[in-house]
Amino acid sequence: MSHAAAPRPITAHPEAALGGRIRVPGDKSISHRSLMFGAISLGETRIEGLLEADDVLGTGRAMAAMGATVVRDGEGLWRVSGLGCGGLLEPEGVLDFGNAGTGSRLCMGLVGGHSFAATFVGDASLSRRPMGRVLDPLREMGVEVIARTKDRLPLSLKGAATPTPIVYRVPMASAQVKSAVLLAGLGAPGVTTVIEPVATRDHTERMLQGFGADLSVEVDAGGGRVIRLVGRPELKAQAVVVPGDPSSAAFAIVAGLIVPGSEVTVENVLLNPLRTGLFQTLLEMGADLLIENERLSGGERIGDVRVRASKLAGVVVPPERAPAMIDEYPILAIAAAFAEGPTVMEGLEELRVKESDRLAAVARGLEANGVACVEGEASLVVEGRKAGARLGGGLVATHLDHRIAMSFLVLGLAAEKPVTVDDTAMIATSFPSFLPLMESLGARFTEA
Ligand code: S3P
């Protein structure tokens, strides 16, 4: 299985101010979907700015294993020749998704709408994560599941020749679950309806519409969304330009805010409102954060995010904001460690089932570096900075979680003492250029 490589511990050192302009790699959510939707469309989809990281490359290999042609040309443009909606072929080998929750869960939806079988495997982290949330609605649609351990990878799916178009209310805030049901619904004769009580990232909806699907979204009185998809559409290849990933930009942005004297700009960042909860929270904390050069690209709002080191104040982050910043709580916790007064984060139950139990991993990492915090069942309170405190000096267990590794390296850049993370190999799953990009801003990392 993938990611069995030796761990690579790294130490981040407190340094002088950070400064400069960078671009982060393409958005992970849009990258996965571009490859998948290209594979089920007719013609050649061209993808500019695809995130070339392990998670996304795994999705590319899965699409190729199911018959699509996926190639990268000399200029870094990815070309996907698709088979049309319903045209994927049974893969010969297992589909290995490594560390990727999005890749695996969305592909379960795709396979669910085809009448063939496929086996899904992943690394130790992915094999611990709950898949029942996707498999339950897929079973309702007629998909068969065989798993050694209930609803955990490795498992095999036998898709339905004629999936039942269902009405499904997503029980948790999850764009992956919503997307898996919609992707299986592409194969269903009729209208599949997904109701999400709280809005989650809407890339699947926007992009399926862009590829030609008949999909509508209605917002109900309580702010929930009713998504209706007409099955068996003819999807047509598109030209996709992937904007910079706000979840990757978050690390340089927070570093720029907490390392004294810094000024950092991250250009070309996706500003979809269902992804910008962190920026809103940082502004509420008093961050000197400006969006410049705002524009539209491929139907998405993008812009350059400029920050200057700021005196931050603790805030209460409303739980209903969680879906718009679900991947950013680890790095927000680092910002909160440098704020005056406590920062209260609630509605964090989904953090327990990410690449690691992120709530516990963040709390233990903070404690190891002298930051007081209180971990609740679904909440975290990070005590702000105490006068005279000397933060850092700890060794952080990353539990195969890229965002834990990157967040605590950022802590080490701003603390009084260096911070070591026990493994950085997993950073390659989402942001392979993280270390050199941060170094280009003035960060100092050494092998531990
Ligand atoms: C994603 C959805 C989120 C997020 C993940 C990417 C997506 O997961 O954490 O990094 O692209 O749909 P959940 O659906 O589990 O919240």
Side-chain angles (χ1 to χ4, degrees), residues 27-30 32-33 101-103 105-106 129 133 172-179 200-201 203-204 247 275 323 326-327 350 353-355 358 402-403:
D27 185 66
K28 183 149 72 80
S29 296
I30 295 180
H32 279 298
R33 288 162 174 82
T102 307
R105 291 187 175 129
L106 269 56
R129 297 179 68 183
R133 51 181 50 205
M172 68 290 289
S174 171
Q176 293 175 358
V177 175
K178 163 178 70 178
S179 302
T200 63
R201 65 190 69 197
H203 308 302
T204 297
S247 301
R275 299 288 300 280
I326 194 64
D327 292 336
E350 281 296 305
V353 290
K354 293 294 176 188
E355 285 82 331
R358 274 192 185 151
H402 54 133
R403 297 198 202 282

